[in-house]
Amino acid sequence: MAEYNTIRAGQATAGAVRIDEGLRAHMNKVYGTMSVGLLITALAAWAIAGLSVTSAPTPYQIGADEYLTGLGVALYTTPLKWVVMFAPLAMVFGFGAVLNRISAAGAQIYFYVYASLMGLSLSSIFLVFTGMSIAQTFLVTAIAFASLSLYGYTTKRDISGLGAFLIMGLVGLIVASIVNIFLGSPIVHLAISAIGVLIFAGLTAYDTQRLKMDYIQHAHHGDAEWLGKSAIMGALNLYLDFINLFMFLLQFLGNRE
């Protein structure tokens, strides 16, 4: 009987080791995919912003010796700006439906296309803020994100209860942002930015812990395809947390042109 219990204990230990190794590989894939997506977004935004501005005089001057090119005019002053703005939103809302119909490799390509469109949508920040302040804010965001995500991964405290509260806060934030489009209040804008930083800081830790727990719950089933798609969806969630945290921090740390 003692020998049987020893064998069972050894099997349990071996299973735990496999799950732990698989979890590390899974999270590495999540962070790797998210990092590539962020790189694509940054390069796309920088490239489009560069093509949108020229020093040669045109009818659309935006600063000292800075003018919009034909591409810049099309992107920022015509109805095309609404397409650029809402195309990433449409893709992210459709991600769940698409995920059920395509393979994990297809989902990864879909995510990278989405990251490219997001870069196109965010390119205007290079026309509004200085490049140095954008780089500094990105560095601050990266440090804050890494710290929050590490907390979510390592903490023994169950923070799943924060999920509903954070989602409710996010909905309220969206409503307040829409209302302030018409009000144009700098004070409300500042408050929205401050609350946005807090909400996405919380979501970063919450999403990281949820990814970890989801993997542990499904790892026993050995569903490789589900785990692959789960990694892409996790990368998307953390990517959105990072981008939104960055944009809200930019309102405080960014120096305007």
Side-chain angles (χ1 to χ4, degrees), residues 3-51:
E3 184 179 351
Y4 174 75
N5 289 333
T6 301
I7 294 174
R8 289 291 301 273
Q11 290 174 341
T13 301
V17 169
R18 284 196 298 270
I19 290 178
D20 189 53
E21 291 175 349
L23 176 61
R24 288 198 296 270
H26 181 75
M27 296 304 293
N28 285 337
K29 183 175 181 179
V30 169
Y31 289 120
T33 303
M34 183 202 75
S35 299
V36 173
L38 288 173
L39 179 61
I40 291 173
T41 297
L43 291 176
W46 177 78
I48 294 298
L51 293 173

Side-chain angles (χ1 to χ4, degrees), residues 129-211:
F129 300 96
T130 63
M132 180 59 70
S133 67
I134 291 174
Q136 290 174 342
T137 304
F138 186 89
L139 179 60
V140 170
T141 305
I143 294 172
F145 178 89
S147 301
L148 291 162
S149 191
L150 180 63
Y151 169 78
Y153 185 83
T154 59
T155 183
K156 302 300 182 181
R157 178 185 175 188
D158 182 8
I159 58 176
S160 59
L162 290 176
F165 175 77
L166 292 170
I167 295 301
M168 289 175 60
L170 181 58
V171 172
L173 191 70
I174 294 172
V175 172
S177 299
I178 294 173
V179 171
N180 200 47
I181 291 176
F182 302 99
L183 295 178
S185 171
I187 296 177
V188 174
H189 177 76
L190 188 65
I192 289 172
S193 298
I195 296 171
V197 169
L198 295 177
I199 287 176
F200 283 100
L203 281 173
T204 298
Y206 166 78
D207 284 337
T208 302
Q209 187 180 79
R210 183 170 55 84
L211 282 170

